[in-house]
Amino acid sequence: MLLVLALLAAPAVPVQAAQVDNIRLWAAPDHARLVFDLSGHAEANVFTLDNPRRLVIDLDQSGLDTDLASLELEGSAITAVRSGVRDGGGLRVVLELSREVEPRHFTLPPNDQYGHRLVVDMEYPGESAVQNPIDPIEAMIREQEIAANRHRNEADGETPRIDPEVVAQQPAAPHPRRDIIIAIDAGHGGEDPGAIGPSGVREKDVVMEIARRLQRLVDDTEGFRAVMIRDGDYYVGLRQRTRIAREQKADFFVSIHADAFNSPRPNGSSVYALSQRGATSETAQWLAASENQADLIGGVDGNLSLNDKDEVLRGVLLDLTMTATLNDSLAIGGQVLDQLGRVNRLHKSRVEQAGFMVLKSPDIPSLLIETGFISNPDEERRLRDSGHQQRMSESIFEGIRAHFRSNPPPASLLAWERDNQRTPSGNEYRIQPGDTLSQIAARHGVPVAQLKQANELNGDVIRVGQVLRIPRS
């Protein structure tokens, strides 16, 4: 009894304080992310103040063990950072802001790379995630101009009455000759480094270099334009990546990654597309069968070791198209895989597919390209070599360009060149309304299977205006 009373009378032991060991900032065009590295778990209260604009971050039972002056603020809405002791104890960090922000925050438990963390995201209302975004309304009008005019003329099956004098006075609307938009997604970024190779090379850095080289190739080619999903070292949510591509009216979406495994032996490049049906390899089957994780914390889910690389792959694949664009995805994938095989060993000799539960159904043909295994020492060395990066980007673009030369989108410059400057040769056929693949094959005396193989078709879907290569019988 005396022992119990003595224990009750003893002063309360203060809660162990958590120290802020480091603060990291990642600045993006439409948001900024602050990460507090903590020595232990700490509860936080985050709120904004006006006149002047400030963001206040209160951490209970915490202290500061880092120099705030070393925090690089360039490119963010933060103009200054100061700290102090909050009334009643604890740490208060005040961010002075140049614009309005919408904050949210969450804590993360330790993983293989980091200890306890507090993540504070600041969204910038009204900002776009890419520079100089295309106006979706303008793009839609530009894309549908020719189709709309044709539809009006064919309404109700009536032939419109044309006044020759009016036609002579009214010049025809010019062909839009628009660029084909290629959305280039460099995987990971910011707080999420992706896989890390044996000598410390980070996936996010390697794929960013390849993505930028690919961007230059696309922009330097007449009739094409690149849109970078991220153009710096910051993270973009997995769903936001395909959302940006859709807002930019992209004709094609390519996500660039570097594979990893818990053994240094696997090597080679791979190309992934999505399928509504079963998987085509044991790896793809495992990915499809595993539970899809929500993009809850923007890529920082505590599973960033090499062993967990497939968690990231599954998350990106989850948002790639698996609707009517699958045939285009597979066709482009075949072209890209053929080109990649000329500069690097292929891990798989065919485009891989797997069935996934889809949260969205993008209408953009999409591929995920694993440029190589960063966990393999030899491939890690090649992936950081500028010459190899250039050859990889050239092979990716050559595969994409070859597809769109044969299948240009309506209203594009390539479509205009096809219709006005190129006459199909004797071994080519331009698809007309009402054509079917079997009819075309019978008309030219070739088997349907041979016609599909010559044009890398994975199904019977064809489009009016598409040019088919007719193999010699």
Side-chain angles (χ1 to χ4, degrees), residues 18-30:
Q19 294 294 313
V20 177
D21 298 324
N22 188 34
I23 302 178
R24 290 168 285 146
L25 173 65
W26 312 97
D30 62 340

Side-chain angles (χ1 to χ4, degrees), residues 126-160:
E127 291 296 329
S128 170
V130 294
Q131 293 182 349
N132 301 320
I134 296 174
D135 182 349
I137 302 300
E138 178 187 349
M140 184 181 301
I141 293 173
R142 190 171 57 187
E143 181 75 21
Q144 295 179 349
E145 180 176 308
I146 293 177
N149 289 334
R150 184 174 62 247
H151 177 73
R152 283 195 297 269
N153 291 337
E154 297 174 350
D156 301 324
E158 297 180 359
T159 301

Side-chain angles (χ1 to χ4, degrees), residues 20 85 276 320 386 394:
V20 177
V85 178
Q276 295 178 346
L320 296 181
S386 60
E394 289 173 352

Side-chain angles (χ1 to χ4, degrees), residues 404-415:
F404 282 112
R405 278 176 174 168
S406 299
N407 306 279
S412 67
L413 174 64
L414 268 64

Side-chain angles (χ1 to χ4, degrees), residues 8 43 77 107 118 144 174 211 246 267 287 296 302 307 312 385 389 407 420 431 446:
L8 291 174
E43 294 295 331
T107 58
L118 167 69
Q144 295 179 349
R246 193 173 301 108
N267 61 84
L287 289 170
L296 179 63
N307 291 340
V312 176
D385 176 74
Q389 292 171 356
N407 306 279
N420 293 273
I431 296 170
V446 297

Side-chain angles (χ1 to χ4, degrees), residues 179-201:
D179 291 335
I180 295 172
I181 307 299
I182 308 298
I184 303 173
D185 171 36
H188 309 279
E191 175 72 357
D192 178 7
I196 299 177
S199 69
V201 176

Side-chain angles (χ1 to χ4, degrees), residues 21 65 69 98 106 174 200-201 204 238 255 371 382 390 409 442 448-449:
D21 298 324
D65 192 20
S98 61
F106 50 89
V201 176
K204 70 171 184 177
L238 301 181
S255 187
T371 53
R382 289 197 298 273
Q390 182 67 22
V448 173

